[in-house]
Amino acid sequence: MANIKQNLAYSAILTLSTYLVPLIVFPYISRVLGVEGIGQIDTVDNIIDYCILFSMMGLTTVGIREIAKNKDNPQVLGQTFTDLFVLNLYSTLFIAIVFGIVVWTSPKLSNYGVLIPIGAAKLIANLFWIEWLYTGLEEFKYITLRSVILRTAFIIAVFIFVNDQHDTTVYYLLFAGITIGNAICNWTYKRTFLHWDIRKANIKHYITPFFVLGLFAMLSAIYTKLSLPVLSFLTDDQEAGNYATATRVYQVIIALVSTLTAVMIPRMSVLMKENRFDKVREYSLMSFKLLFIFSFPIICFMEIFAPDIIRLFAGTGFEGAILPMRIIMPQLIIIGAEKIIVLQLLIPLRKDRTIVMAGLIGVFNWCIFTALLVPTYHNIGTSIVWVIAELTVLLIANRETQRSLNIHFPVKLFLLSCLYAIPYLLLGWGIYYVTEDPIIRIILSMVLFIGYATLLEFKVYKTGILQPVVNIIKRVT
């Protein structure tokens, strides 16, 4: 069985590489393609991403869970893959037809020309990406190496082939090529692990979890996707712009926490199948330790240096994003804990209905508090509402895991971590008042925060996550 710490290390490298790509590429293409070119690409790609969300529904979660459960039985593994892939085939074809009808009947979308068929190719290629298969098999080394190679090739190709504002189509083709390349690699490599026969597909067993967990994904997306247009409708575009700026950095950070959490899903599914609940509790505690190791220094850093970060990231005129960012940042712990409990524990336990119920109650609270707070407190109210909605889901999920597994949010470890976080605040405030240069503040604080976090890992938390990262980097270099 693969080493869980090594899997976490590969996952961390993968996530960091994911967000290094836009940091390297975006400053270049924004200047070459201009606002109009970027706007065209983002519009088409956002539509395609929504289509992918609907075509996948709960497949990622269900797929990881079922593949992990059956990976030691080749015959059952092949049947499981067949059933899930055919189910995704039907949903993708349906969404592709709907997308085609919308494009056909919408003159505005038709005006995007060749960007539309490129986006459609990305939608179809996503069907063959089958990342859930390799995650369930815990093939994180393969996933990481493949992704890093393809993303590196993408960066090089952008600088070679995208040279002026007329290269919008070329850029989007290269961007969609990441999905297409991943799909080709994954579809070819699957022969190593399984044999399947599409004629023997039986999707009935998976229809309910596919749509139930898909519904939870849709409900969860409301907090992030719908809050912004609602804020814009109830107030104005300036408030919406400040809120969007406040959440953009947060979205990058929570993605890292989410990826680290997802690594545990296949292992938890196997352990629960084998009734090894002592190990389930051990890995759950390890997940919470990792969450606190990553979250507390990031939260302290963002709370103290929010003005500098907003100024460097967005420029002047976005001072209204500072307070919303400070309100949102503690959600790293709330959503991180929610993902540990929901993805690692409730999903392997097949508590799908409880998960959806938590999502529905969270959306209900979001609607109520949006009506009460947003018209008066604008983007600050929207930030508070988001925290309330996610906290609701966490409390309901935590109650279920406590009842079913006697596992719950580790309050004692959380309080100790709060005490351990005090030096972050002292270091940060000291740096803030010693120098007025925002770049020096950020660099110096990052060095000191990372040093202190490393000390805590080796002396207090002792998860062992750092050594595999060092080993992987040594092997690569």
Side-chain angles (χ1 to χ4, degrees), residues 61-245:
T61 304
V62 176
I64 294 172
R65 179 177 71 188
E66 299 302 320
I67 293 296
K69 254 179 28 178
N70 300 308
K71 65 182 178 181
D72 295 326
N73 187 328
Q75 185 176 354
V76 177
L77 177 64
Q79 185 62 50
T80 301
F81 173 81
T82 301
D83 297 343
L84 291 170
F85 175 76
V86 171
L87 179 57
N88 192 207
L89 173 63
Y90 290 149
S91 63
T92 301
L93 288 176
F94 175 76
I95 294 299
I97 292 170
V98 173
F99 175 69
I101 293 171
V102 171
V103 172
W104 183 265
T105 56
S106 172
K108 185 172 182 179
L109 287 178
S110 301
N111 290 335
Y112 287 106
V114 75
L115 295 180
I116 293 294
I118 293 173
K122 179 184 174 183
L123 170 62
I124 300 301
N126 185 76
L127 168 67
F128 300 95
W129 193 336
I130 54 172
E131 196 82 324
W132 44 271
L133 170 65
Y134 298 99
T135 305
L137 293 171
E138 297 188 80
E139 289 290 324
F140 292 101
K141 180 179 180 180
Y142 162 74
I143 293 171
T144 301
L145 293 177
R146 181 213 66 216
S147 299
V148 169
I149 290 170
L150 287 173
R151 286 167 184 163
T152 302
F154 166 74
I155 293 172
I156 295 171
V158 166
F159 286 106
I160 293 175
F161 297 108
V162 181
N163 301 309
D164 59 52
Q165 62 182 0
H166 301 295
D167 289 334
T168 303
T169 301
V170 176
Y171 173 75
Y172 191 48
L173 184 61
L174 293 173
F175 184 76
I178 297 177
T179 301
I180 297 169
N182 277 309
I184 293 171
C185 292
N186 283 2
W187 192 255
T188 304
Y189 190 52
K190 79 178 189 310
R191 300 170 187 167
T192 309
F193 303 100
L194 55 83
H195 298 283
W196 68 298
D197 189 345
I198 196 170
R199 295 169 298 181
K200 297 180 180 179
N202 182 9
I203 67 174
K204 293 180 181 179
H205 182 65
Y206 299 110
I207 291 176
T208 299
F210 178 79
F211 285 104
V212 168
L213 292 175
L215 177 59
F216 178 72
M218 299 298 176
L219 293 171
S220 300
I222 288 178
Y223 314 143
T224 54
K225 303 295 184 183
L226 199 57
S227 293
L228 189 60
V230 168
L231 174 63
S232 180
F233 177 78
L234 293 177
T235 57
D236 55 47
D237 290 338
Q238 183 177 354
E239 293 288 336
N242 284 329
Y243 179 77
T245 304

